[in-house]
Amino acid sequence: MKKLFLTILVLTSIESFAQCNVKNKVLADGSMVYYFDPAVFYTTKSKSLKINIVTDKENYFVALQPTPFPEKKTGKNITDDLIIRLANNEKYKLTHYDTQYIQNDSIMQVLYLIDNKDIDAFSKFEAVVASINMKGTEFVRDYNFKLHKDEILKQLACFLKKEK
């Protein structure tokens, strides 16, 4: 019984540390950003959405990687804000910050700024639905999250814990 308890304790500890595997990179302007690998929030045969949190230690951003995504010329026109509904049934508007094509334009990433007054809610409640205006592909895409609904919450917890 002690061995089983010890094994569970070790596995839980390893999982806790794995959740906070923060990566960083220096941007072209010399600033440092911190991020996690994107988690799949939604997937079907025709579309998917990956999400992760990115921070410069002052601001927090939700980074979306939708598939399929429009070609670069059209995609750069995606400037509308993101609406996310959390498990508390409240809708939060995240301001569009930047649209990027990364890894030789094989991935499109759209950054949305989380308002400082909403950090607490995003730290407590799972994400349920995201509504994105994907210009050039369709009007507003709603993603009802099926997978890893608590990933934003977990990633923010890691960043906020490290800051204390």
Side-chain angles (χ1 to χ4, degrees):
M1 189 64 153
K2 282 185 178 180
K3 286 183 181 180
L4 177 62
F5 177 73
L6 185 58
T7 303
I8 291 171
L9 182 63
V10 169
L11 290 175
T12 305
S13 298
I14 291 170
E15 186 176 313
S16 295
F17 288 122
Q19 290 174 356
C20 288
N21 188 11
V22 178
K23 298 181 178 191
N24 62 55
K25 66 180 171 185
V26 178
L27 301 179
D29 66 1
S31 61
M32 178 80 74
V33 292
Y34 303 87
Y35 64 97
F36 290 90
D37 286 330
V40 176
F41 265 50
Y42 179 91
T43 188
T44 66
K45 288 182 181 180
S46 62
K47 59 185 174 179
S48 70
L49 182 67
K50 292 181 180 180
I51 294 183
N52 65 309
I53 298 294
V54 177
T55 184
D56 58 5
K57 298 279 184 156
E58 290 180 34
N59 299 295
Y60 293 92
F61 304 90
V62 169
L64 300 183
Q65 294 178 359
T67 304
F69 56 84
E71 64 182 40
K72 199 172 195 175
K73 182 179 177 185
T74 305
K76 287 292 187 176
N77 292 326
I78 295 174
T79 57
D80 289 355
D81 296 337
L82 170 70
I83 305 297
I84 290 187
R85 184 167 47 96
L86 300 180
N88 64 352
N89 269 335
E90 295 289 325
K91 291 182 180 179
Y92 298 87
K93 182 191 281 191
L94 283 67
T95 305
H96 176 269
Y97 184 78
D98 192 19
T99 300
Q100 310 165 336
Y101 283 77
I102 55 178
Q103 295 181 6
N104 296 321
D105 296 345
S106 62
I107 297 173
M108 175 189 167
Q109 177 172 275
V110 187
L111 292 173
Y112 297 94
L113 178 65
I114 301 173
D115 193 308
N116 286 333
K117 69 178 175 40
D118 297 332
I119 293 290
D120 189 50
F122 278 88
S123 299
K124 291 180 181 174
F125 299 102
E126 295 179 339
V128 178
V129 178
S131 299
I132 310 161
N133 187 349
M134 294 295 291
K135 293 182 165 93
T137 56
E138 46 191 90
F139 290 101
V140 175
R141 259 190 219 174
D142 284 333
Y143 292 92
N144 293 303
F145 298 145
K146 304 292 183 198
L147 308 168
H148 308 289
K149 293 178 178 187
D150 62 348
E151 197 63 29
I152 291 174
L153 188 143
K154 286 180 184 177
Q155 291 181 17
L156 272 175
C158 287
F159 282 132
L160 296 173
K161 178 174 59 176
K162 288 185 184 255
E163 286 179 5
K164 289 181 180 176

